[in-house]
Amino acid sequence: MTSDDLFGAASAADRAEQPASAGHAPLAVRMRPRTLEEVRGQTKVLRPGSPLRRLIEGSGGAAGPLSAIIWGPPGTGKTTLAHLVATASDRRFVELSAVTAGVKDVRSVMEQAGRDRDLYGRQTVLFLDEIHRFTKAQQDALLPGVENRTVILVAATTENPSFSIIAPLLSRSVLVTLESLSDADVADLLQAALDDERGLAGAHTLTDDAREHLVRIAGGDARRALTSLEAGAGVALDAVAPGSDDDGPVAITLAHVEQAVAQAAVRYDRAGDQHYDVASALIKSMRGSDVDAALHYLARMLEAGEDPRFIARRIVISASEDVGMADPTALQTAVAAMHAVAQIGMPEARIILAQAVVHNAMAPKSNAAYLGVNEAIADVRAGRGGAVPAHLRGSGYAGAERLGHGAGYAYAHDAPDGVAQQQYLPDDLDGQVAYYRPTDRGFEERLRARLEWLTGRLGRGRPE
């Protein structure tokens, strides 16, 4: 989409002065900030002298204007900031969406941008929304234009750029990380939308409890806050009795907002990094023994439509990694839950998953087994561990006896206590390693005493 397509015959300033009802644009579009002063919540990235502010103000300096990758949650102003960049220094603005655009579209923009630069000395800003949806080949097509500054690329993404954007493109751009709006910023935005001529122009008031509810369900997303406010205003107008002669502002109440917004949208993207963030929070909450937090993140995943089998697999891993032998039954519960979820499905699977989450969160914790195997693997990768002792080698094949394999092996079940004293570790590790170090928590407290006895019975030392 070119600047002509975007702005039509009127400039951005002209459109801003049109009545709020012009074109019946959504409230979130009408309230889009026109200047830096109207942008809410992004004080860090817009501080004086910051790369993004200098880009918006058109002061590239000796190094010239930098391309920018803007990363942040939905509704934090990525598109708004791109538009503000475009208004600086009479730049040409071209907008593409990675959902619909391809390499051909990118190359076409580059060619036109080169002509505009050479003939008219005019810079082109290419705003590429959802750049994380571009393949590596498509992102490669951007490199020459960014490298030669044929275009100033402003790319928006809700995904972690480290995973979704190729390194050469990241190295040629400044990374701008936006944050969700604070509750105070959202409340201020709602009031501005109520009062501003571009918004509801004083035709509505908002009760305190309705305002609190809108702020809460917005979750720091300005677009969601304004969309919910607009929906609530529509319900409030519908509730006005026909023929009413009350000319005062129409109050938007909590009941109106709740009717308009039946359920708060879940801040979770199954295909993106939020998917991993919430899953990580679930694991860490179980590890930290906060059962309420663990159930909260479980609910977020389920309400977002996450595959319950994926959740079950994460719980199984946690049961071994974080609970381990401090409560061996946690793994039994988790594995049983994984199989039950596969057979039952939603919505009943939520009950099974909740039981497994509660078990993991409430159980005593030990990562001793996890640390033990990691240390053993590290030794193996470092080349430690010589030949398997001859008496432990396989002896069930021709020639084994001649090689001395199995000679002198003590069968553990022949010993009175079921423990045969002999060397099991390779020579260079015997008496030198202690991979498993049980804690004093839960069942592992009993295992510590057992391990001390076993070590002595086997006749080998164990480093502290």
Side-chain angles (χ1 to χ4, degrees), residues 224-242:
R224 183 185 301 162
L226 293 173
T227 300
S228 300
L229 174 64
E230 187 173 27
V235 173
L237 283 175
D238 290 342
V240 175

Side-chain angles (χ1 to χ4, degrees), residues 68-284:
I69 306 294
I70 304 179
W71 171 36
T76 52
K78 296 185 292 295
T79 305
T80 291
L81 293 173
H83 280 254
L84 291 177
V85 170
T87 60
S89 303
D90 190 31
R91 292 166 174 157
R92 176 172 172 262
F93 186 78
V94 181
E95 182 174 0
L96 295 177
S97 172
V99 176
T100 56
V103 172
K104 181 179 179 181
D105 301 295
V106 171
R107 288 175 177 164
S108 176
V109 171
M110 298 294 181
E111 292 171 2
Q112 183 61 48
R115 288 192 291 269
D116 285 352
R117 180 194 60 189
D118 296 339
L119 295 176
Y120 311 112
R122 190 181 186 191
Q123 287 183 323
T124 296
V125 174
L126 170 58
F127 174 55
L128 184 57
D129 199 14
E130 299 190 82
I131 188 175
H132 56 272
R133 295 181 181 271
F134 257 15
T135 64
K136 180 180 181 298
Q138 290 172 313
Q139 292 185 35
D140 282 337
L142 295 166
L143 289 176
V146 174
E147 177 81 41
N148 301 325
R149 207 162 284 161
T150 305
V151 297
I152 301 171
L153 174 66
V154 180
T157 179
T158 56
E159 304 292 327
N160 189 329
S162 298
F163 303 123
S164 59
I165 298 177
I166 59 175
L169 191 56
L170 274 178
S171 68
R172 290 164 172 79
S173 310
V174 60
L175 177 60
V176 178
T177 304
L178 304 187
E179 299 177 349
S180 296
L181 273 65
S182 67
D183 288 352
D185 289 328
V186 174
D188 182 52
L189 176 63
L190 291 171
Q191 189 59 50
L194 289 168
D195 299 337
D196 199 293
E197 288 298 321
R198 293 178 292 155
L200 300 180
H204 292 271
T205 59
L206 189 63
T207 63
D208 290 341
D209 52 357
R211 186 189 310 274
E212 292 174 1
H213 185 62
L214 284 171
V215 169
R216 183 169 60 253
I217 66 176
D221 185 329
R223 186 184 301 107
R224 183 185 301 162
L226 293 173
T227 300
S228 300
L229 174 64
E230 187 173 27
V235 173
L237 283 175
D238 290 342
V240 175
S244 173
D245 56 358
D246 186 358
D247 295 331
V250 177
I252 304 172
T253 67
L254 176 60
H256 295 144
V257 173
E258 289 179 334
Q259 182 179 343
V261 186
Q263 182 180 15
V266 180
R267 289 297 296 272
Y268 186 87
D269 179 1
R270 289 179 58 192
D273 55 296
Q274 290 181 32
H275 160 89
Y276 298 104
D277 287 346
V278 179
S280 174
L282 170 65
I283 297 299
K284 290 172 181 173

Side-chain angles (χ1 to χ4, degrees), residues 306-363:
E306 181 60 82
D307 185 346
R309 295 171 298 179
F310 167 80
I311 302 173
R313 290 193 295 269
R314 306 310 301 176
I315 296 172
V316 170
I317 295 169
S318 174
S320 262
E321 179 181 345
D322 297 318
V323 178
M325 292 303 293
D327 181 0
T329 64
L331 182 58
Q332 298 172 13
T333 299
V335 172
M338 181 174 64
H339 289 298
V341 164
Q343 296 297 321
I344 294 174
M346 290 293 287
E348 290 82 2
R350 76 190 191 282
I351 308 168
I352 300 161
L353 291 171
Q355 179 179 345
V357 164
V358 169
H359 192 152
N360 271 11
M362 298 291 290

